[in-house]
């Protein structure tokens, strides 16, 4: 290894995205100094890219090169990059912009560059990022940070899904109507269904990977999901999403229970890919209407209070849920400040369910 032990020690969890330099990293040479024939892919790097992509890890580029260099790199490596930042600013700024664009936390990023100065600059500016040299990557594919516990079909298609996301965002920016009108124009379909045992691996993966939309603040094992799916005391639901740009597959799920006039959602989780696409609002509306059909008076969602799931709590507040403190310990990881119970009174008007939502008993 080449001086990466310190940066590796501060990494937590599985890497979701690797951000690569181009010159002498993904390419064998310097793009702007190569003359009419740009450099080929660096030996072994294309294989590393493919292997990590097969595990559901996406790739991005941060390079002091023109955009043409990123296009050439994509061709010679055969890799589809989820985001590219080409320019002459600080690499840490490029990494931060990629994190924001992909909605991935810095602690779930790795940055690979041949230049020790660039590695040091990113390490100083963004301590949670796992910073590596190209030589490290041959060994890194075997590290726990690059070895998710489960790899689902959705994970293998993650790179393509980010490409679909770019096309969708571009279309939305040029669309003249409201968000709801855009969702309808691109034939958005959200399907809520009872989970099957075969959904357990993907539900486990979602519980481990989601943080911004995870009410429990922690993951749940595949075995636990299988047990809940077979239980008569709980309901486990899946949420799938598709539109004209592509099929995102299973993007969310929840675990519900009923008792004493109250529907309680033990776990609610949603992929960040569904953010801004009406899915969390649709699921909350479906839950409220389903609870009311079962003669429940209130829908409750206990929620860990941590610095990552603020978007979920904002969505709950926007949907009419009101929070009350819970004196019990937080179910979330270390660093969570506690938990609150978000409650929706079902005695008043129920939220409207869009007609592009399919689910059992929604009429």
């Amino acid at each position: 290894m080449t001086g990466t032990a310190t940066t590796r020690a501060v990494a937590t969890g599985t890497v979701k995205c690797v951000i690569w330099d181009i010159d002498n990293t993904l390419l064998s040479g310097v793009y702007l100094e190569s003359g009419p024939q740009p450099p080929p892919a660096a030996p072994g790097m294309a294989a590393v890219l493919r292997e990590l992509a097969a595990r559901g890890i996406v790739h991005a580029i941060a390079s002091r090169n023109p955009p043409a260099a990123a296009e050439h790199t994509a061709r010679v490596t055969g890799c589809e990059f989820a985001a590219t930042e080409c320019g002459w600013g600080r690499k840490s700024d490029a990494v931060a912009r990629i994190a924001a664009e992909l909605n991935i936390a810095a602690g779930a990023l790795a940055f690979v560059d041949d230049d020790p100065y660039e590695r040091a600059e990113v390490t100083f500016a963004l301590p949670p990022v796992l910073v590596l040299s190209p030589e490290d990557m041959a060994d890194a594919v075997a590290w726990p940070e690059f070895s998710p516990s489960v790899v689902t079909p959705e994970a293998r298609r993650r790179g393509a899904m980010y490409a679909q996301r770019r096309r969708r965002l571009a279309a939305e920016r040029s669309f003249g109507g409201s968000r709801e009108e855009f969702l309808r124009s691109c034939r958005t379909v959200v399907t809520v269904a009872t989970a099957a045992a075969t959904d357990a691996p993907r539900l486990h993966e979602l519980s481990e990977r989601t943080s911004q939309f995870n009410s429990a603040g922690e993951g749940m094992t595949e075995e636990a999901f299988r047990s809940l799916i077979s239980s008569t005391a709980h309901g486990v639901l899946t949420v799938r999403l598709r539109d004209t740009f592509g099929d995102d597959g299973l993007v969310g799920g929840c675990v519900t229970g009923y008792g004493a006039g109250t529907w309680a959602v033990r776990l609610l989780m949603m992929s960040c890919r569904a953010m801004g696409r009406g899915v969390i609002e649709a699921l909350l509306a479906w839950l409220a209407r389903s609870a009311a059909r079962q003669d429940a008076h209130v829908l409750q969602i206990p929620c860990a209070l941590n610095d990552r799931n603020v978007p979920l709590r904002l969505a709950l507040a926007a949907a009419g849920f009101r929070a009350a403190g819970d004196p019990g310990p937080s179910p979330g990881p270390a660093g969570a400040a506690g938990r609150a119970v978000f409650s929706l009174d079902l005695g008043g008007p129920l939220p409207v369910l869009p007609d592009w939502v399919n689910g059992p008993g929604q009429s």
Side-chain angles (χ1 to χ4, degrees), residues 18-361:
V18 182
I19 301 174
W20 299 82
D21 177 42
I22 289 178
D23 295 332
N24 294 315
T25 301
L26 288 177
L27 298 183
S28 289
V30 178
Y31 181 83
L32 290 177
E33 297 177 0
S34 60
Q37 183 61 44
M45 284 300 102
V48 170
L49 290 168
R50 288 193 300 271
E51 175 60 31
L52 295 182
R55 301 178 189 181
I57 297 171
V58 298
H59 300 291
I61 284 176
S63 173
R64 288 199 176 94
N65 266 303
E71 296 168 5
H72 168 74
T73 302
R75 283 194 299 272
V76 298
T77 61
C79 179
E80 188 169 36
F81 293 93
T84 58
E85 284 284 335
C86 290
W88 282 263
R90 292 188 300 180
K91 288 289 184 73
S92 61
D93 291 339
V95 170
R97 287 192 295 269
I98 290 170
E101 178 183 345
L102 301 183
N103 199 27
I104 295 176
L109 297 175
F111 172 71
V112 184
D113 199 301
D114 70 302
D115 189 330
Y117 172 82
E118 303 290 8
R119 297 200 299 270
E121 192 270 328
V122 171
T123 296
F124 178 80
L126 300 169
V129 175
L130 176 61
V131 178
L132 305 169
S133 73
E135 292 79 12
D136 291 325
M137 292 309 296
D139 294 329
V141 292
W143 294 355
E145 293 93 331
F146 295 93
S147 304
S149 58
V150 62
V151 181
T152 64
E154 284 88 352
R156 295 187 183 95
R157 294 189 291 115
R158 195 164 284 130
M161 290 176 183
Y162 274 107
Q164 295 165 9
R165 178 176 179 268
R166 286 200 306 273
R167 294 192 292 271
R168 184 181 298 107
L169 289 174
E172 186 173 9
R173 284 192 292 267
S174 63
F175 188 79
S178 67
R179 186 189 73 153
E180 288 71 22
E181 290 170 333
F182 174 74
L183 292 174
R184 194 177 303 279
S185 74
C186 62
R187 300 178 185 175
T188 299
V189 176
V190 173
T191 302
V192 180
T194 301
T198 53
D199 295 319
R202 174 58 177 162
L203 291 170
H204 162 62
E205 181 184 46
L206 272 174
S207 76
E208 293 287 339
R209 292 181 62 91
T210 56
S211 56
Q212 297 183 73
F213 282 85
N214 186 318
S215 63
E218 61 182 359
M220 184 180 293
T221 66
E222 184 175 330
E223 292 73 20
F225 275 112
R226 291 186 187 279
S227 177
L228 288 168
I229 289 169
S230 64
S231 168
T232 58
H234 298 88
V236 183
L237 299 170
T238 61
V239 183
R240 287 176 166 83
L241 172 65
R242 60 181 171 85
D243 62 14
T244 54
F245 295 93
D247 189 341
D248 289 82
L250 205 165
V251 297
C254 58
V255 178
T256 65
Y258 177 77
T262 299
W263 252 46
V265 180
R266 168 179 169 180
L267 169 65
L268 187 151
M269 56 188 182
M270 190 75 64
S271 168
C272 62
R273 290 200 312 275
M275 290 179 65
R277 298 172 63 186
V279 184
I280 187 68
E281 297 90 344
L283 176 60
L284 293 174
W286 187 91
L287 287 169
R289 299 176 75 86
S290 296
R293 283 196 301 273
Q294 297 296 321
D295 297 324
H297 307 301
V298 64
L299 174 63
Q300 291 187 339
I301 303 179
C303 189
L305 304 179
N306 57 49
D307 59 358
R308 290 293 297 150
N309 68 5
V310 172
L312 171 59
R313 288 183 270 143
L314 291 175
L316 291 171
F321 286 77
R322 296 296 174 260
D326 186 333
S330 167
R339 67 177 180 177
V341 177
F342 286 78
S343 299
L344 180 67
D345 184 354
L346 302 176
L350 296 174
V352 175
L353 192 68
D355 59 10
W356 37 265
V357 178
N358 299 322

